[in-house]
Amino acid sequence: MNYMETAKLLGFSDAAIMNTRDLVFKPEYRKFCEENRCGCYNVNPACPPKSGTVKEMMQEALKYQKTLVLQTIQDKDMDYKKAKLSHNKLTEKLALQMVDSGNEDILIMSAGPYKHYSCMSAYCVDAQKMADAVGMACWGTDDKIRYFSQILFEPCGSKI
């Protein structure tokens, strides 16, 4: 299964694979969770503090060798909650396909908390540096909103 090709066929705007060790973690980003900007702090088990400390979450992420970076691009006039939900549903669908193809050990970082998945912010991932590393735009002047998620995995001999 070619993960990037499958992601694009599902509807992602872009997809790329990077080494997980190249992700940049910024522990100071945890303050955004603590400020409860999304309303899920200390409510959703996938969110801090229940999800774990920054160090614990970073250690869990770094157990995986590869990261599949997923992006969708939406017009600013679209309902951002629906767009984010759609992005997360696509991420979950792709993850299930990866599991079905034999890659059972994966970790999802969603675009905002989703079900039992912690978001990239809870993991304190620097989205700009991640996007730069794979050649994707994170912010733009084109009236578009870009959503990101990740599926961390171990290569299992399949075509990635």
Side-chain angles (χ1 to χ4, degrees):
M1 173 180 182
N2 182 314
Y3 297 153
M4 293 182 298
E5 182 178 297
T6 302
K8 291 176 185 176
L9 288 172
L10 279 175
F12 286 100
S13 304
D14 207 351
I17 294 176
M18 65 184 287
N19 292 321
T20 303
R21 71 176 181 276
D22 293 335
L23 290 173
V24 176
F25 296 90
K26 300 261 183 139
E28 61 270 23
Y29 285 5
R30 182 54 66 97
K31 71 180 177 198
F32 300 125
C33 292
E34 293 166 351
E35 292 171 358
N36 202 20
R37 292 184 178 196
C38 71
C40 294
Y41 183 79
N42 206 22
V43 174
N44 185 332
C47 296
K50 296 175 185 175
S51 61
T53 66
V54 173
K55 183 177 180 181
E56 290 167 340
M57 294 182 82
M58 186 171 71
Q59 286 174 336
E60 180 172 350
L62 291 173
K63 290 178 186 175
Y64 296 88
Q65 185 179 354
K66 296 290 183 182
T67 300
L68 176 59
V69 178
L70 303 163
Q71 180 188 61
T72 55
I73 303 172
Q74 306 291 333
D75 291 325
K76 280 190 177 179
D77 59 351
M78 292 181 69
D79 181 310
Y80 77 93
K81 287 184 180 181
K82 287 182 182 176
K84 190 186 299 186
L85 177 61
S86 175
H87 178 94
N88 284 331
K89 285 181 176 181
L90 278 178
T91 302
E92 185 176 50
K93 187 174 183 176
L94 178 57
L96 290 172
Q97 288 185 14
M98 290 171 70
V99 169
D100 287 345
S101 75
N103 203 330
E104 297 178 13
D105 187 16
I106 61 171
L107 172 70
I108 294 174
M109 290 186 199
S110 54
Y114 175 68
K115 294 185 178 181
H116 59 278
Y117 305 116
S118 299
C119 66
M120 289 175 31
S121 297
Y123 281 93
C124 300
V125 170
D126 186 320
Q128 179 67 60
K129 291 189 185 295
M130 175 202 67
D132 290 346
V134 295
M136 292 182 195
C138 189
W139 303 101
T141 57
D142 57 1
D143 288 335
K144 304 285 184 186
I145 299 174
R146 291 158 177 83
Y147 297 98
F148 288 95
S149 59
Q150 301 176 34
I151 303 174
L152 288 68
F153 66 97
E154 288 297 318
C156 62
S158 61
K159 189 176 170 185
I160 59 172

